[in-house]
Amino acid sequence: MARSTARPTLVEVLVRQGLAREPIEQALRRLGGVSLALGQTLVNEGALSEEQLARALAEQYGLPYEPLTEYRVDQQFYTSISVKLMQRHPFVPMEEQAGVLTIAIADPQNILGFDELELLIGKPLARVVSSRSAILSALERSEGSSQALRELEAEYRSVLVKEDDRGEEVLTVNPVAEDQSPAVKLLDSILLSAMQRRASDIHIEASDRATSVKLRVDGILVPAMEPLDFRLHAPLVSRLKVMSELDIAERRVPQDGSFRMRLDRKTVDFRVSILPSVFGESVVVRILDREAITTGVSALRLERLGFNPEDLKRFRRAIVRPYGMVLVTGPTGSGKTTTLYAAITEMSTTEDKLITIEDPVEYQLAGVVQIPVNEKKGLTFARGLRSILRHDPDKIMVGEIRDAETAQIAIQSALTGHLVLTTVHANNVFDVIGRFASMGIDAYNFLAALNCVLAQRLVRILCPSCRVQVAADQSLLEDSGLDYEQYKDTPFYQGKGCSNCMGTGYRGRKCITEFLDLTDEIKEMILAERPLSEIRYRAVTDGMITLRQSAIKKVLQGETSLREINRVTFSEEG
């Protein structure tokens, strides 16, 4: 293929596109005048974005620029081109016309690499230019069922881990026929993809014509891949049932199970819940990547979770008291357990004995005795808690209070000189009182034991790579219960969406909190059955920051957006 040599230099193109000459010349001097690595150097130093570099290279070489926004590779290309080859160079096949394949590449300067590609693919190639991150993002979006069925990384193997009669781990060896099954390969691909994308859950849902696979990332469901052929649904579900030791023949009642896999050189736990639906069984798989969690837990501190300074100070004061109950509340997936673990990592495990009972043990902590609940063997929260009290503990963590028996023992423990940290499902700090009353717990004893209640939620944090300032939106401010005139000049932010956040505009989550210190006055008002609005007013005048106020603080600090806090809380809460 003929290539023109009379082309402008990258420096000329960048200056023409509006980049100041000074940072370019400084970078060139550092590179000893070699301009080949100039573009990437400017990107690394923040003087240039990847997109600006791609546009400049496209102009320099007289090639079209392609942003690849939401582009997905046509599945037909996977039959003739290796995914590993696409990732190694990297490039994205775009279209084929008259025997010429058009590909998107990031580096048109790499002539040798391009010639090698033409030889490996075996057909003439035409080029368009895109940024490296856009190409990798397009490949990640495009990893669909055809690729998963055809190819898995050669070095990647998944091994199911079981326990023998003595409770020791043994590795199962899958029969050769099963090892070659498309359903096995597809499921392995889904599990690996979910872990790479930091997903907490995998949802497999059937419709009348297709099967959709979604991942819950930062609390929001996103498609994992293109919809699968409906014929793959039954084999996928059957494979999960085999792994979880569930009844394959039973499709009309819900089933729950779990399995453990040695996956990508580490052991991961998966909890499986199967529900019958109109078009087939619906499956949710919860991922418990203990090693990743434990790595993060060693550096886990309360201030890293997103607490506002006032609540952080009060909560820290509560967890160093010698006895009483510290209660963390919120819906499923609101980070309650993480908060308790962060609290435990700040406690002294050398002077005090800490024992936890959990279902399951999600994080493994040094210096702490951790007991997993085992309902099948009769080890419930209540039974385990009774045994814990005979082990001379100073501080106890109970994963969750689900029933009256556990609640009674936890309260008695708090009243008899132990500090008890625990969680309960309730919407806010005041709903906790009603939750315990509905279990038939005596209000006087409960309030005598209770030191404080912390309610929390998780809000998504704007992606630092694509966060941009936006003008105040009057209708959005009014919907959020804020006065437009007061906030019209306030800077607000939102995420545009990039490859780092997979187009969502958000990356990671932090908690918003509502902390109620059970002062004598508040306890007396609750026992006197004063109206809830009166108790709330008293707490707020004592300095309580509501969930809504905590969320708005995060918006005004530029950490999250109004739309996100409206998804998690509502203005009446403030």
Side-chain angles (χ1 to χ4, degrees):
M1 188 183 291
R3 299 186 182 97
S4 169
T5 54
R7 63 173 66 95
T9 65
L10 182 59
V11 175
E12 290 168 348
V13 174
L14 288 171
V15 171
R16 195 158 60 230
Q17 289 187 352
L19 190 70
R21 197 176 272 275
E22 188 181 344
I24 299 174
E25 289 174 350
Q26 286 175 353
L28 268 175
R29 278 197 295 273
R30 283 195 296 276
L31 292 167
V34 181
S35 62
L36 198 63
L38 175 65
Q40 194 54 51
T41 302
L42 289 169
V43 170
N44 294 343
E45 291 176 354
L48 199 64
S49 71
E50 277 196 78
E51 184 185 340
Q52 286 173 312
L53 174 61
R55 287 184 186 276
L57 287 170
E59 185 179 327
Q60 183 191 6
Y61 283 81
L63 297 169
Y65 169 74
E66 173 55 60
L68 294 177
T69 309
E70 298 303 313
Y71 177 78
R72 292 177 188 271
V73 178
D74 192 319
Q75 295 291 333
Q76 67 173 357
F77 290 123
Y78 286 125
T79 58
S80 56
I81 305 171
S82 162
V83 178
K84 278 190 257 183
L85 184 64
M86 292 183 204
Q87 290 171 335
R88 183 157 54 90
H89 274 273
F91 72 93
V92 168
M94 302 286 292
E95 60 176 359
E96 188 171 354
Q97 285 185 340
V100 178
L101 176 66
T102 300
I103 63 170
I105 56 171
D107 186 9
Q109 300 172 103
N110 186 0
I111 305 299
L112 286 173
F114 185 72
D115 290 341
E116 182 192 354
L117 272 180
E118 278 192 327
L119 282 170
L120 291 169
I121 293 172
K123 59 182 71 172
L125 302 176
R127 298 173 293 171
V128 299
V129 181
S130 188
S131 69
R132 181 183 174 85
S133 61
I135 290 168
L136 293 174
S137 188
L139 288 173
E140 192 170 347
R141 277 196 300 275
S142 308
E143 289 178 359
S145 55
S146 303
Q147 173 219 352
L149 291 170
R150 187 184 54 75
E151 179 186 347
L152 272 173
E153 298 283 346
E155 67 274 12
Y156 164 65
R157 296 264 306 173
S158 68
V159 184
L160 201 58
V161 179
K162 299 285 176 105
E163 289 183 353
D164 60 16
D165 293 336
R166 291 174 296 174
E168 293 177 4
E169 286 187 3
V170 292
L171 303 181
T172 65
V173 180
N174 296 329
V176 174
E178 185 180 81
D179 212 24
Q180 294 172 340
S181 156
V184 173
K185 290 185 177 180
L186 175 57
L187 185 59
D188 282 353
S189 175
I190 291 169
L191 296 175
L192 187 63
S193 172
M195 287 171 55
Q196 287 170 340
R197 292 173 70 174
R198 303 178 297 108
S200 60
D201 301 86
I202 304 165
H203 292 239
I204 302 172
E205 299 166 358
S207 64
D208 55 344
R209 293 182 184 172
T211 293
S212 63
V213 181
K214 301 172 189 172
L215 305 178
R216 190 174 289 282
V217 181
D218 291 337
I220 298 292
L221 283 177
V222 293
M225 55 179 67
E226 294 291 322
L228 302 171
D229 190 306
F230 183 70
R231 288 172 295 182
L232 285 167
H233 188 78
L236 257 184
V237 177
S238 294
R239 171 64 180 160
L240 276 167
K241 285 181 178 176
V242 167
M243 293 165 77
S244 309
E245 298 181 334
L246 300 175
D247 185 352
I248 296 181
E250 184 54 77
R251 296 180 180 177
R252 292 164 297 179
V253 295
Q255 295 191 71
D256 292 301
S258 62
F259 62 92
R260 182 175 294 173
M261 287 185 86
R262 187 70 47 81
L263 196 69
D264 195 23
R265 296 179 295 281
K266 59 183 172 183
T267 304
V268 184
D269 286 1
F270 298 87
R271 282 187 283 174
V272 179
S273 181
I274 301 175
L275 280 175
S277 71
V278 176
F279 298 110
E281 289 170 293
S282 175
V283 183
V284 174
V285 181
R286 167 61 58 91
I287 302 169
L288 294 169
D289 183 355
R290 295 184 190 204
E291 288 175 36
I293 288 168
T294 306
T295 307
V297 145
S298 58
L300 191 59
R301 292 293 178 272
L302 287 166
E303 63 267 13
R304 294 182 60 187
L305 302 182
F307 278 70
N308 60 61
E310 297 89 342
D311 286 353
L312 180 59
K313 199 185 298 177
R314 292 173 187 151
F315 188 63
R316 277 190 167 139
R317 213 159 43 222
I319 62 174
V320 295
R321 289 177 186 168
Y323 57 86
M325 183 185 282
V326 173
L327 201 52
V328 182
T329 183
T332 304
S334 59
K336 300 187 296 293
T337 309
T338 307
T339 297
L340 289 186
Y341 272 106
I344 287 173
T345 58
E346 295 197 6
M347 292 176 182
S348 168
T349 54
T350 51
E351 296 174 358
D352 293 334
K353 173 131 183 174
L354 268 77
I355 307 181
T356 75
I357 179 159
E358 307 161 62
D359 183 19
V361 173
E362 292 184 23
Y363 311 155
Q364 290 165 357
L365 295 169
V368 181
V369 178
Q370 295 174 275
I371 303 165
V373 164
N374 190 335
E375 301 270 355
K376 288 178 186 172
K377 302 285 186 184
L379 178 54
T380 60
F381 274 116
R383 188 171 175 184
L385 194 47
R386 276 202 193 92
S387 297
I388 286 172
L389 292 172
R390 293 194 286 272
H391 269 251
D392 186 29
D394 295 292
K395 293 169 183 175
I396 303 165
M397 178 184 134
V398 182
E400 187 187 335
I401 290 181
R402 297 175 183 168
D403 54 67
E405 190 181 3
T406 310
Q408 290 282 17
I409 304 166
I411 289 165
Q412 289 305 318
S413 307
L415 290 170
T416 53
H418 304 91
L419 183 70
V420 179
L421 296 91
T422 187
T423 73
V424 70
H425 288 290
N427 288 324
N428 57 49
V429 292
F430 299 103
D431 287 353
V432 169
I433 315 297
R435 184 90 174 80
F436 276 81
S438 68
M439 291 183 197
I441 303 299
D442 175 58
Y444 184 84
N445 277 343
F446 172 53
L447 289 170
L450 196 58
N451 287 348
C452 65
V453 184
L454 177 80
Q456 69 176 62
R457 301 282 189 283
L458 291 176
V459 292
R460 291 182 295 166
I461 297 302
L462 293 169
C463 172
S465 304
C466 63
R467 188 186 81 146
V468 291
Q469 188 175 327
V470 293
D473 182 322
Q474 185 170 356
S475 62
L476 184 57
L477 278 168
E478 288 169 356
D479 289 345
S480 306
L482 299 176
D483 180 23
Y484 176 67
E485 290 301 318
Q486 184 183 346
Y487 291 99
K488 64 181 179 183
D489 298 323
T490 304
F492 290 92
Y493 295 86
Q494 67 183 35
K496 286 195 301 182
C498 64
S499 56
N500 288 334
C501 59
M502 294 169 191
T504 61
Y506 299 92
R507 184 170 175 83
R509 290 186 291 175
K510 284 189 177 179
C511 65
I512 54 170
T513 53
E514 178 177 88
F515 183 89
L516 177 66
D517 207 344
L518 267 292
T519 61
D520 290 342
E521 189 178 359
I522 295 283
K523 288 180 181 180
E524 284 164 12
M525 290 176 79
I526 295 169
L527 284 171
E529 297 183 358
R530 304 298 301 163
L532 196 59
S533 56
E534 201 177 307
I535 302 170
R536 175 176 277 271
Y537 179 77
R538 178 73 256 173
V540 171
T541 53
D542 283 348
M544 186 182 87
I545 297 165
T546 66
L547 280 171
R548 183 68 179 183
Q549 289 167 343
S550 183
I552 288 169
K553 276 189 177 184
K554 286 230 178 323
V555 172
L556 297 177
Q557 288 163 358
E559 292 186 64
T560 189
S561 66
L562 278 173
R563 284 190 175 84
E564 173 64 8
I565 69 161
N566 288 346
R567 181 184 70 83
V568 176
T569 67
F570 50 91
S571 55
E572 287 79 6
E573 287 183 0

